[in-house]
Amino acid sequence: MTATQLSAPAAPTAAADGRGSYWITTFGCQMNKADSERMAGILESMGYREAQAELEADLVLYNTCTIRDNAEQKVYSYLGRQAQRKRTNPNLTLVVAGCVAQQEGESLLRRVPELDLVMGPQHANRLDVLLAQVEQGQQVVATEEHHILEDITTARRDSSICGWVNVIYGCNERCTYCVVPSVRGKEQSRLPEAIKLEMEGLAAQGFKEITLLGQNIDAYGRDLPGITPEGRRQHTLTDLLQFVHDVEGLERIRFATSHPRYFTERLIDACADLPKVCEHFHVPFQSGDDDVLKAMARGYTVDRYRRIIERIRDRMPDASISADVIVAFPGETDAQYRRTLALIDEIGFDQVNTAAYSPRPNTPAADWPNQLSEEVKVERLREINALVERKARERSARYAGRSEQVLVEGINPKDDSQVMGRTRTNRLTFFPAARADGGQWQPGDLVEVRIEEVRAFSLSGTAQP
Ligand code: SAH
Ligand code: SF4
Ligand code: F3S
């Protein structure tokens, strides 16, 4: 059977419930995943239903990432396949959303003339309006700077237990390697009331854990008006956490990503004092060398970073710490790179996302002459990954024999006799689904699990009686 026979074509005159099927593939970070869930919600409210397979869908949307070159290239190979399909199925609607869409804009249409819609991340909530233009026969490019409208649609969320809530869009930093500010635009904070309302809605649906999202979440509130009687900003991440903490039904609150330049002691203290805020901190350091940090325009020193981690561990001794790091940044010497290794060794991270530097369009570092070779990148990445794994294993060892609270998210996809979930410190944990009373553990259950097996990035155990 061909794809066209499987589902109704997306005719402009189709009834609201007969628009056909959609498929979304999401690349990149949690912001993109959150945007995809909102776009899926919009499509469903327009009458689309989820397709069983990518090659059968009437509307295919790629929500793209351009943080590194290999992320960007991925979408072109996906698009090639769909463009070919469109030649035999003109009713197919092809959409590129997200960060590659924003970066490339109209030139994407020249490269892939089969595209119907190219839309930047700031336009995610306007998918229905843009598709209406497509249905009138236009090829649409929506990449202009846009004030993000408060989301009035209901997202179609992948999990019914753990949800993401955007608190600040965009980024005003200018890290010299990073494409995010140019594709995500200026910082726009949502109002605390809107954030709380969304969290209350999720809690009412049974969600137990919320992760508050922002590229630089410590910047939350700087674009909102208001000064307290003590003369400080009225809206900060700390105030937001306090404001949303007591939403009934929620068990856990997380937030990401933290920026060492803005991370405050007040925030650390609030995290220690607020019981629902989990003891896990994602604080990218990017390099263990002060001169490299300066060239990256990160705005802090390694020492400041150390003090933040010390303070976190002082208040929450068992807290887990994760981070991002870049190796082979332009001009990074072997000695500078070794300082990064030394910092990983010293801090003992629970997890580190590593990447070799990749030159990005419209970023200063991409034009510098002191680029390092592919061989150096590959070798440094290999070495650092081995260290990261060794340290993660060391950190995992502390769980052996302990009892940890795990929030069940679902069945282990590799073994359906097990469920999986996370500890408060964000370690993935597996344990038998069968309960002592003959029932099964369900998503949303909070279970005390005795940890019996530890691996670098996950744990296994059994539920405590
Ligand atoms: N806002 C976050 C990071 C967002 S991007 C922060 O400030 O830390 C996610 C990660 O991708 C970054 O932390 C960085 O480690 C990596 N990254 C960003 N640009 C990169 C580039 N040009 N080359 C390699 N890695 C990059
Ligand atoms: Fe990129 Fe820096 Fe903004 Fe993070 S803080 S998104 S690394 S510019
Ligand atoms: Fe990628 Fe855009 Fe996120 S570039 S990492 S999807 S903000």
Side-chain angles (χ1 to χ4, degrees):
M1 209 190 289
T2 65
T4 34
Q5 285 168 317
L6 265 179
S7 40
T13 50
D17 59 351
R19 271 211 162 86
S21 61
Y22 73 91
W23 180 271
I24 297 182
T25 300
T26 308
F27 306 88
C29 65
Q30 293 168 321
M31 322 280 150
N32 258 17
K33 290 184 184 130
D35 289 348
S36 286
E37 292 184 344
R38 288 205 310 279
M39 291 192 284
I42 294 175
L43 289 172
E44 293 195 357
S45 69
M46 291 174 75
Y48 284 94
R49 64 182 192 288
E50 197 176 2
Q52 298 298 312
E54 183 168 355
L55 290 173
E56 291 168 5
D58 301 299
L59 181 149
V60 174
L61 186 155
Y62 294 131
N63 196 10
T64 59
C65 171
T66 183
I67 199 76
R68 287 180 284 278
D69 188 57
N70 55 5
E72 180 181 352
Q73 296 313 321
K74 244 185 241 166
V75 70
Y76 297 120
S77 69
Y78 278 63
L79 273 175
R81 254 191 342 226
Q82 295 294 347
Q84 205 168 24
R85 216 180 122 214
K86 180 141 183 172
R87 281 175 222 132
T88 53
N89 177 7
N91 288 323
L92 170 65
T93 305
L94 267 184
V95 183
V96 176
C99 297
V100 176
Q102 185 67 38
Q103 176 185 291
E104 296 299 311
E106 272 184 26
S107 65
L108 256 181
L109 291 187
R110 284 194 290 279
R111 185 160 178 173
V112 188
E114 291 81 3
L115 284 177
D116 295 289
L117 170 58
V118 174
M119 53 186 286
Q122 296 188 351
H123 294 265
N125 292 354
R126 301 180 61 227
L127 179 59
D128 48 351
V129 177
L130 299 170
L131 280 176
Q133 294 170 15
V134 169
E135 287 179 355
Q136 284 161 10
Q138 298 173 33
Q139 253 184 332
V140 180
V141 177
T143 51
E144 66 278 11
E145 182 86 14
H146 191 266
H147 178 73
I148 298 170
L149 300 171
E150 210 21 81
D151 192 13
I152 39 157
T153 55
T154 310
R156 184 195 177 288
R157 298 186 186 252
D158 282 345
S159 162
S160 53
I161 304 301
C162 304
W164 289 305
V165 171
N166 290 97
V167 306
I168 177 167
Y169 301 102
C171 178
N172 287 6
E173 298 303 303
R174 286 289 174 271
C175 304
T176 50
Y177 51 82
C178 185
V179 76
V180 170
S182 76
V183 292
R184 288 266 162 181
K186 285 202 196 69
E187 289 169 2
Q188 297 184 37
S189 300
R190 294 176 68 197
L191 290 171
E193 291 74 18
I195 295 165
K196 192 174 189 180
L197 206 63
E198 185 173 351
M199 291 172 75
E200 286 167 345
L202 289 170
Q205 291 169 47
F207 281 79
K208 300 285 179 224
E209 178 179 303
I210 298 294
T211 303
L212 304 176
L213 289 183
Q215 275 299 358
N216 171 5
I217 199 162
D218 301 276
Y220 175 75
R222 348 192 233 208
D223 55 323
L224 297 176
I227 299 287
T228 66
E230 302 83 54
R232 59 171 181 79
R233 256 200 292 136
Q234 184 182 345
H235 296 290
T236 67
L237 178 60
T238 309
D239 296 285
L240 180 70
L241 286 173
Q242 284 161 346
F243 180 69
V244 300
H245 184 266
D246 293 333
V247 170
E248 218 178 292
L250 291 184
E251 303 281 356
R252 293 175 170 185
I253 299 173
R254 305 182 185 277
F255 58 89
T257 298
S258 303
H259 195 305
R261 179 174 183 180
Y262 302 101
F263 205 87
T264 62
E265 289 196 357
R266 192 169 161 258
L267 176 65
I268 297 172
D269 291 344
C271 294
D273 295 339
L274 295 169
K276 290 183 188 174
V277 177
C278 292
E279 300 75 27
H280 167 231
F281 298 87
H282 184 66
V283 198
F285 63 93
Q286 312 298 5
S287 168
D289 180 84
D290 283 342
D291 291 329
V292 174
L293 286 174
K294 203 167 183 183
M296 290 175 162
R298 290 288 289 178
Y300 54 85
T301 59
V302 177
D303 239 15
R304 164 153 173 93
Y305 188 83
R306 277 197 190 97
R307 284 200 303 275
I308 291 170
I309 306 304
E310 270 165 26
R311 176 79 181 196
I312 291 174
R313 288 184 166 158
D314 187 39
R315 294 293 326 260
M316 292 159 274
D318 195 47
S320 65
I321 313 284
S322 59
D324 301 345
V325 65
I326 298 176
V327 297
F329 186 72
E332 183 189 65
T333 64
D334 190 60
Q336 289 172 325
Y337 157 68
R338 306 237 153 250
R339 273 178 215 123
T340 295
L341 294 179
L343 187 67
I344 293 178
D345 195 46
E346 172 193 331
I347 302 265
F349 289 95
D350 293 81
Q351 181 145 15
V352 184
N353 304 318
T354 59
Y357 171 72
S358 167
R360 305 311 295 132
N362 312 316
T363 60
D367 296 329
W368 296 347
N370 50 356
Q371 306 288 326
L372 300 187
S373 68
E374 209 45 45
E375 292 73 53
V376 171
K377 288 181 182 178
V378 170
E379 180 47 30
R380 288 188 184 171
L381 201 53
R382 190 197 55 73
E383 187 182 14
I384 202 167
N385 283 342
L387 174 64
V388 164
E389 180 168 342
R390 181 159 65 75
K391 298 311 280 190
R393 207 175 285 283
E394 281 174 30
R395 289 290 288 164
S396 273
R398 77 190 194 279
Y399 293 107
R402 267 169 48 173
S403 174
E404 286 291 313
Q405 183 207 66
V406 176
L407 173 62
V408 179
E409 292 174 27
I411 299 289
N412 176 359
K414 291 196 187 133
D415 177 354
D416 62 12
S417 74
Q418 290 186 333
V419 287
M420 61 178 197
R422 282 170 196 276
T423 63
R424 284 177 62 96
T425 51
N426 212 34
R427 265 289 187 265
L428 196 58
T429 306
F430 304 99
F431 62 97
R435 299 167 55 124
D437 63 6
Q440 297 265 325
W441 293 112
Q442 298 297 326
D445 288 343
L446 275 177
V447 187
E448 285 297 324
V449 177
R450 197 184 138 79
I451 306 301
E452 286 145 359
E453 248 181 77
V454 298
R455 292 169 296 273
F457 302 108
S458 65
L459 312 169
S460 301
T462 45
Q464 296 275 60

